[in-house]
């Protein structure tokens, strides 16, 4: 009997230690910045296999902030919290031709237990299986998570391309208590080649909690990334992610902004670079075959003093880069993906953070004229309603995705349809863009969907050859 007791105690103790030494991928992983030859993989190790359950009730719309949320409670016990853990990570990319594997690399708290790896010399237009392994140490249990992505075709290759885009998602504006946000399951069912997230992925300056320090700011990323719908979508859909004011610091954030509590502008930049699969300059361009080139611009880091004459959102260096790369492009469709509007129309009362506002009218006029002259189409985020606008003066197209849930929709009177509006809907949803050839003519199909994946509007634009 004594021998049996000792044996059972030993087994229980061993299993307990094994469980404690296991790591998890609760906040998922992201595949970012895919080109015809490269990609970035970002992953975080977690201590538990599930986030903390939702404990607070949602308040009334819009936004549905939590009722009676205590910002002073322990962060690890907050709704959606996922505690990170130190350990080691190994990443493998597998194609029909070869396997690329990293060495085991340690992650630690100074980088929020994340690992970011850049993979180069990949084959173009090729599906890669992703396998990520995690362990606490050399002798512990190995955990695994899997996904996939396709690299971009070469710039001279004629092929169809299909992608999704979305914007503005506040954790407490979720519309599925189990999955998080319906749009991600709706988009996943369409199997896009990639996804463009145009900013306000999280909201530091909305309740539940207010992210007034680094720990609370990181918590916002953990809680959002742990929603099952986001995890499932992003493990097989590469992302091009942009930031706007709310996932950098606070409303209308610029390099001249005062801190948000103890969270500084510099803290926000550091956390952004830690949590997003991107390296190098935040403005960049990528080509997907002969018929599509995209430009992702940066709207917060290079802003000049708003009180100076002719203030700038993009800054001199970014504008120069943008014009040079646009003029060199031979793509059939040139699409600018912007975190904020270029055309609008925008609300007139007190708004001063985008090119549709009078504060930046000089730079806005210059950009609208240049974009229209060079046949560029704008996809923009930041607005909490869906629309298609065509600038009355320049005839520049701008297409806005709308927020990620109906609970987040607000800010425009749905009856206020202006002459430039071809479509207006004050609800949540997402946008798809398909580039293909019809009778050998490059054609772009832009389709707005509601959160459940139902089509609500479509625009078909043929390339000007």
């Amino acid at each position: 009997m004594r021998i049996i007791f000792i044996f059972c105690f030993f087994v229980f103790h061993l299993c307990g230690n094994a469980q404690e030494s296991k790591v998890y991928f609760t906040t998922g992983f992201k595949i970012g910045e895919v080109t015809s030859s490269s990609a970035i993989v970002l992953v975080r190790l977690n201590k538990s296999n599930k986030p903390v359950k939702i404990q607070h009730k949602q308040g009334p719309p819009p936004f549905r902030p939590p009722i009676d949320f205590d910002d002073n409670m322990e962060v690890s016990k907050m709704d959606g919290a996922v505690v990170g853990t130190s350990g080691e990570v190994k990443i493998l990319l597998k194609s029909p031709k070869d396997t690329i594997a990293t060495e085991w690399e340690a992650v630690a708290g100074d980088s929020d237990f994340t690992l970011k790896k850049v993979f180069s010399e990949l084959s173009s237009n090729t599906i890669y299986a992703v396998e990520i392994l995690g362990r606490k140490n050399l002798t512990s249990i190995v955990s695994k998570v899997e996904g996939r992505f396709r690299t971009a075709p070469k710039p001279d290759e004629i092929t169809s391309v299909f992608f999704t885009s979305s914007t503005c998602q506040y954790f407490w504006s979720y519309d599925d208590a189990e999955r998080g946000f319906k749009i991600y399951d709706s988009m996943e069912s369409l199997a896009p080649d990639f996804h463009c997230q145009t900013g306000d992925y999280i909201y530091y300056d909305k309740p539940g909690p207010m992210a007034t320090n680094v720990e609370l700011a990181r918590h916002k990323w953990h809680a959002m990334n742990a929603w099952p719908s986001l995890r499932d979508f992003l493990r097989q859909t590469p992302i091009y992610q942009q930031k706007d004011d709310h996932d950098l610091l606070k409303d209308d954030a610029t390099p001249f902004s005062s801190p948000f509590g103890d969270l500084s502008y510099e803290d926000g930049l550091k956390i952004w670079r830690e949590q997003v699969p991107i390296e190098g300059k935040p403005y960049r361009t990528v080509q997907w075959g002969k018929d599509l080139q995209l430009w992702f611009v940066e709207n917060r880091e290079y802003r000049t003093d708003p009180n100076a004459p002719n203030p700038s959102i993009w800054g001199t260096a970014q504008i120069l880069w943008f014009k040079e790369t646009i003029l060199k492009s031979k793509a059939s469709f040139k699409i600018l993906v912007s975190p904020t509007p270029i055309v609008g129309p925008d609300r007139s009362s007190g708004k001063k953070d985008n090119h549709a506002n009078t504060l930046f009218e000089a730079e806005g006029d210059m950009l609208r004229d240049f974009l229209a002259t060079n046949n560029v189409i704008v996809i923009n985020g930041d607005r909490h309603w869906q629309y298609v606008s065509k600038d009355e003066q320049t005839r520049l197209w701008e297409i806005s995705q709308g927020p990620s849930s109906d609970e987040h929709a607000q800010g425009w009177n749905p009856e206020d349809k202006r002459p430039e509006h071809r479509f207006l809907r004050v609800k949540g949803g997402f946008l798809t863009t398909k580039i293909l050839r019809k009778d050998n003519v490059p054609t772009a199909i832009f389709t707005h969907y509601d959160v459940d994946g139902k089509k609500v509007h479509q625009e078909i634009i043929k390339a000007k050859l």
Side-chain angles (χ1 to χ4, degrees):
M1 180 67 71
R2 180 180 175 84
I3 294 173
I4 294 174
F5 174 79
I6 292 172
F7 175 76
C8 290
F9 177 81
F10 175 77
V11 171
F12 177 81
H13 184 69
L14 183 65
C15 291
N17 285 343
Q19 190 67 23
E20 288 179 4
S21 67
K22 189 174 182 181
V23 299
Y24 299 91
F25 298 105
T26 314
T27 49
F29 67 93
K30 292 189 178 86
I31 306 148
E33 302 302 303
V34 170
T35 72
S36 60
S37 62
S38 64
I40 300 173
V41 177
L42 173 71
V43 66
R44 178 177 187 258
L45 289 186
N46 306 286
K47 192 173 183 179
S48 60
N49 66 340
K50 291 182 180 180
V52 172
K53 289 184 178 180
I54 301 296
Q55 306 159 67
H56 294 79
K57 291 184 178 180
Q58 290 174 295
F63 307 133
R64 305 208 67 183
I67 298 171
D68 297 328
F69 193 94
D70 179 9
D71 281 11
N72 295 315
M73 70 186 295
E74 186 179 325
V75 176
S76 64
K77 296 180 180 179
M78 289 182 174
D79 310 59
V82 186
V83 176
T85 186
S86 58
E88 298 176 329
V89 173
K90 183 183 181 73
I91 303 174
L92 298 92
L93 302 187
K94 301 178 179 180
S95 77
K97 295 181 180 179
D98 61 357
T99 296
I100 303 168
T102 68
E103 300 295 329
W104 285 99
E105 291 192 38
V107 300
D110 58 352
S111 61
D112 196 29
F113 310 104
T114 63
L115 178 69
K116 187 188 301 187
K117 295 297 293 184
V118 179
F119 293 87
S120 57
E121 299 183 5
L122 303 181
S123 300
S124 65
N125 203 12
T126 298
I127 293 176
Y128 281 87
V130 181
E131 187 175 294
I132 304 178
L133 308 177
R135 67 188 184 190
K136 189 68 178 173
N137 51 52
L138 185 63
T139 61
S140 62
I141 295 172
V142 175
S143 301
K144 182 171 72 170
V145 66
E146 296 176 309
R148 63 185 292 278
F149 69 95
R150 179 169 75 95
T151 50
K154 291 181 178 179
D156 60 353
E157 189 173 347
I158 297 176
T159 183
S160 61
V161 184
F162 178 70
F163 67 94
T164 51
S165 53
S166 67
T167 193
C168 297
Q169 55 187 39
Y170 167 43
F171 179 85
W172 290 98
S173 294
Y174 66 83
D175 51 10
D176 185 320
E178 296 297 324
R179 301 282 297 166
F181 291 86
K182 294 178 181 178
I183 67 161
Y184 285 96
D185 289 331
S186 298
M187 291 189 295
E188 184 182 357
S189 70
L190 300 175
D193 293 313
F194 58 88
H195 179 65
C196 301
Q197 206 287 327
T198 57
D200 293 340
Y201 184 82
I202 54 171
Y203 280 75
Y204 286 155
D205 56 342
K206 285 194 182 297
M210 291 287 196
T212 53
N213 60 46
V214 169
E215 184 183 18
L216 292 167
R218 282 171 165 170
H219 160 77
K220 293 262 185 173
W221 290 93
H222 309 158
M224 184 63 74
N225 290 334
W227 279 122
S229 62
L230 274 77
R231 287 203 320 260
D232 291 348
F233 178 70
L234 294 173
R235 71 181 179 85
Q236 57 186 342
T237 311
I239 187 171
Y240 300 93
Q241 197 162 353
Q242 295 169 286
K243 63 176 170 295
D244 202 16
D245 45 359
H246 298 287
D247 38 22
L248 176 59
L249 187 64
K250 58 184 176 180
D251 194 36
D252 291 353
T254 76
F256 304 91
S257 295
S258 60
F260 183 54
D262 293 328
L263 190 74
S264 69
Y265 177 87
E266 290 72 24
D267 290 332
L269 274 180
K270 179 181 182 297
I271 296 168
W272 166 262
R273 292 164 182 161
E274 170 187 272
Q275 300 290 335
V276 174
I278 183 173
E279 289 284 303
K281 286 192 169 101
Y283 54 87
R284 64 272 193 203
T285 181
V286 63
Q287 190 155 352
W288 274 73
K290 187 175 179 60
D291 291 332
L292 175 64
Q293 187 168 350
L294 303 112
W295 282 259
F296 301 94
V297 290
E298 166 55 46
N299 278 16
R300 295 293 162 184
E301 291 188 41
Y302 306 109
R303 290 186 180 226
T304 61
D305 186 345
N307 297 312
N310 295 324
S312 174
I313 291 178
W314 285 12
T316 303
Q318 183 173 201
I319 291 172
L320 180 61
W321 162 85
F322 182 76
K323 287 184 173 182
E324 287 179 346
T325 52
I326 286 285
L327 293 173
K328 287 179 181 177
S329 176
K330 292 181 171 55
S332 304
F333 281 99
K334 306 177 188 72
I335 295 180
L336 164 61
V337 185
S338 171
T340 54
I342 306 289
V343 173
D346 194 19
R347 293 165 286 180
S348 57
S349 57
K351 294 300 293 180
K352 54 181 181 179
D353 76 333
N354 65 69
H355 288 109
N357 303 147
T358 55
L359 179 62
F360 297 101
E361 187 172 17
E363 187 167 278
D365 287 344
M366 178 274 294
L367 283 175
R368 285 184 286 274
D369 182 66
F370 178 81
L371 293 166
T373 300
N374 290 280
N375 301 319
V376 181
I377 297 169
V378 180
I379 291 175
N380 74 288
D382 195 38
R383 301 300 78 185
H384 299 177
W385 60 93
Q386 295 180 322
Y387 66 81
V388 177
S389 289
K390 198 168 186 181
D391 184 50
E392 289 189 282
Q393 184 172 344
T394 64
R395 312 308 292 164
L396 173 66
W397 288 88
E398 179 169 272
I399 304 169
S400 186
Q401 308 112 321
S404 294
S405 65
D406 289 341
E407 284 76 3
H408 202 93
Q410 59 89 44
W412 191 272
N413 182 350
E415 303 301 319
D416 184 14
K417 191 170 184 180
R418 306 283 178 88
E420 56 266 51
H421 280 134
R422 293 177 58 93
F423 167 67
L424 173 65
R425 177 176 178 268
V426 187
K427 289 286 187 180
F430 61 96
L431 178 74
T432 67
T433 303
K434 186 166 188 177
I435 307 295
L436 72 166
R437 294 212 169 192
K438 287 187 173 183
D439 299 324
N440 205 33
V441 177
T443 304
I445 304 173
F446 299 93
T447 308
H448 279 99
Y449 289 78
D450 67 14
V451 296
D452 294 306
K454 179 183 177 182
K455 294 179 183 179
V456 293
H457 183 76
Q458 189 171 87
E459 295 281 354
I460 301 175
I461 303 174
K462 296 185 181 297
K464 295 179 181 180
L465 302 178

